[in-house]
Amino acid sequence: MGTRHEDQPTEHWAGPESLDPTPVWKQYVLVALLLVVGLVVIVIVSVAALAPYLATPPALVAGDRLVLATSDLPPVGAAPKLVGTPIVPLEREFLISQPVRGQYVAVRRAYSRSPGGSVRCTVTPMGLSSADQRTFIAQCPDGHAPTFNGRGQAIDAGARNLDQYNVSVSGDRVIVNLARVIEASERTSGPVPTGIPQPQGTP
């Protein structure tokens, strides 16, 4: 059997259609479809990113971001404000305060003494918001009642800090990201924050 092309049986030859290139109009259609899909993706991403700035506060926008107006939030040093139903579901309720000018803290009302613990405590305001003084208290069904400063940091030794939502400020809007929980790790000991008198016997 020969090795030259003309020596091969005709039934082994490729048909003439194999030599035809893909029609140009099909290539144009494919490129156009890819461009349209790309534009749609860009529009969706842009709208989602701009949603917090287009919505009228209070509003829950894409990405579980809650938009609040600074005019509706506590001024510096004022008592924390509860943000709950119907704005957010019961399990996502939080207290927001401004212990330092321009810095908002959103602590979750649901609290447990250990990460993922079964004992659920309810966080309530204890006083005026302060970076050092007692601002929050967690009422636990087992009788424990740890206290926390305006930043959500535990004042009582051995208590875990409060879980918080990520907060950002943009002009006259405060954006609370309910999808991002900053969960405090368990702590067995720790210093008493500045401004809090230490109990007798504390080294």
Side-chain angles (χ1 to χ4, degrees), residues 46-68:
S46 299
V47 171
L50 293 174
Y53 308 99
L54 300 175
T56 301
L60 189 61
V61 300
D64 277 346
R65 290 170 294 175
L66 179 64
V67 183
L68 302 170

Side-chain angles (χ1 to χ4, degrees), residues 57-200:
L60 189 61
V61 300
D64 277 346
R65 290 170 294 175
L66 179 64
V67 183
L68 302 170
T70 54
S71 57
D72 295 332
L73 298 181
V76 181
K81 178 180 179 179
L82 171 64
V83 179
T85 56
I87 300 176
V88 296
L90 182 64
E91 64 274 9
R92 290 185 169 186
E93 286 186 338
F94 62 91
L95 292 159
I96 188 165
S97 63
Q98 188 180 181
V100 178
R101 183 173 298 279
Q103 296 182 7
Y104 292 89
V105 176
V107 301
R108 298 186 68 188
R109 288 202 76 196
Y111 173 79
S112 59
R113 292 164 56 204
S114 60
S118 57
V119 178
R120 285 295 180 179
C121 313
T122 302
V123 178
T124 58
M126 188 179 183
L128 299 179
S129 180
S130 170
D132 299 319
Q133 304 298 323
R134 289 179 170 84
T135 302
F136 304 102
I137 183 170
Q139 302 288 351
C140 303
D142 57 4
H144 285 82
T147 57
F148 312 84
N149 64 19
R151 299 181 187 274
Q153 299 168 334
I155 290 176
D156 305 314
R160 189 173 70 92
N161 293 341
L162 294 176
D163 297 331
Q164 302 182 26
Y165 290 118
N166 188 53
V167 180
S168 60
V169 182
S170 179
D172 61 349
R173 294 166 183 249
V174 172
I175 303 169
V176 183
N177 191 344
L178 301 179
R180 185 178 178 185
V181 179
I182 304 172
E183 189 176 76
S185 58
E186 189 169 7
R187 193 177 72 184
T188 56
S189 63
V192 177
T194 305
I196 302 299
Q198 297 186 13
Q200 296 296 324

Side-chain angles (χ1 to χ4, degrees), residues 21-42:
T22 302
V24 175
W25 69 269
K26 290 185 177 180
Q27 297 178 7
Y28 288 156
V29 169
L30 179 60
V31 172
L33 286 175
L34 291 175
L35 287 175
V36 170
V37 171
L39 288 174
V40 169
V41 171
I42 291 174

